[in-house]
Amino acid sequence: MIIWGSGGGLCIAGDAGVRDCPICQSAQRFDFSVSYRYAHIWYVFSWVTRRKYLAICSRCHNGVAITKQAFQASVTRDPIPVMRRRGWLMIPAIVALVLVAGALQERQQGDPALVANYHRAVMQAIQTHWLRPDNTPASPCKVRVTLQRGGYVTGVDVEPDCPYDEAGRRSVVEAVRRADPLPYKGYEQAFHPSMVLTFVSMPDASHP
Ligand SMILES: [Zn+2]
């Protein structure tokens, strides 16, 4: 099972000097700031999905968008907490761009440890075959896979709420097809003829 979530934050990154504030209609002191969104899995792996650079008026707190270049010219240290940016580096086993969770079926059968090992094996088999298009959003995409004994894939359906575009959807279907037959031997007791896999891409947005 995967616990997936996201959050956001705003970091003040230093003095942006005195600028004209369109709201106050006078010169005010501004602070550089970054607003960001992050995504996490299990609250442990975490990475930044979006950044916005702002100068914030110290009087009215109105934010004025600034370019990344202007921000970086003045701020050298990344203000976003390192754990938010690079939390996922903590566990080196997750090196691929994808994490696929064996999700649980209507009726869970067999020894939970065996089921977990089975899902991990399926996940590893598929993730090595996923060629993730560059623009794949950092959102989960669920794929329903139907199987026969022996691990043979009989159907792959992308769930309607998958946020990926056509190429992204094709890439997850092809990943499953390339991994066919999926692991089976040794996992007979954990086998179920249908499973839902969650693809999660982790774009390297960790650099400002
Ligand atoms: Zn102001």
Side-chain angles (χ1 to χ4, degrees):
M1 266 312 265
I2 270 207
I3 298 171
W4 151 274
S6 65
L10 181 80
C11 295
I12 298 294
D15 190 347
V18 174
R19 295 158 184 246
D20 283 318
C21 175
I23 305 295
C24 299
Q25 299 201 324
S26 60
Q28 297 295 335
R29 203 185 60 72
F30 276 74
D31 290 304
F32 282 120
S33 74
V34 189
S35 75
Y36 65 95
R37 297 288 306 168
Y38 65 90
H40 68 78
I41 293 172
W42 295 316
Y43 302 93
V44 175
F45 310 111
S46 156
W47 64 101
V48 170
T49 54
R50 198 178 66 200
R51 291 168 185 260
K52 262 163 78 180
Y53 299 93
L54 302 164
I56 292 183
C57 171
S58 61
R59 180 167 170 266
C60 70
H61 304 291
N62 179 54
V64 178
I66 55 171
T67 64
K68 181 173 155 181
Q69 289 72 20
F71 180 88
Q72 286 176 333
S74 310
V75 180
T76 47
R77 210 181 124 267
D78 193 323
I80 299 177
V82 71
M83 282 304 298
R84 287 277 179 254
R85 287 182 280 135
R86 297 191 171 273
W88 55 274
L89 287 182
M90 282 178 58
I91 300 179
I94 307 296
V95 290
L97 292 165
V98 56
L99 195 70
V100 183
L104 290 267
Q105 334 338 88
E106 307 74 55
R107 59 199 168 88
Q108 185 61 68
Q109 48 188 4
D111 168 19
L114 182 68
V115 170
N117 287 340
Y118 174 52
H119 288 158
R120 197 172 306 122
V122 167
M123 179 167 120
Q124 285 170 352
I126 294 174
Q127 74 179 12
T128 58
H129 291 284
W130 190 25
L131 304 174
R132 184 186 65 98
D134 280 343
N135 59 350
T136 306
S139 314
C141 172
K142 291 202 184 83
V143 176
R144 182 170 292 274
V145 179
T146 49
L147 298 163
Q148 279 176 352
R149 293 211 165 264
Y152 302 103
V153 175
T154 54
V156 187
D157 292 296
V158 180
E159 301 273 290
D161 63 356
C162 172
Y164 297 176
D165 64 10
E166 201 49 46
R169 285 167 175 248
R170 211 177 314 119
S171 77
V172 296
V173 171
E174 279 168 9
V176 178
R177 291 288 182 197
R178 280 196 211 102
D180 181 21
L182 293 171
Y184 179 74
K185 210 170 161 40
Y187 303 112
E188 292 86 349
Q189 299 306 310
F191 177 83
H192 191 278
S194 98
M195 62 166 67
V196 176
L197 305 172
T198 304
F199 283 71
V200 181
S201 72
M202 297 185 187
D204 187 12
S206 51
H207 303 285

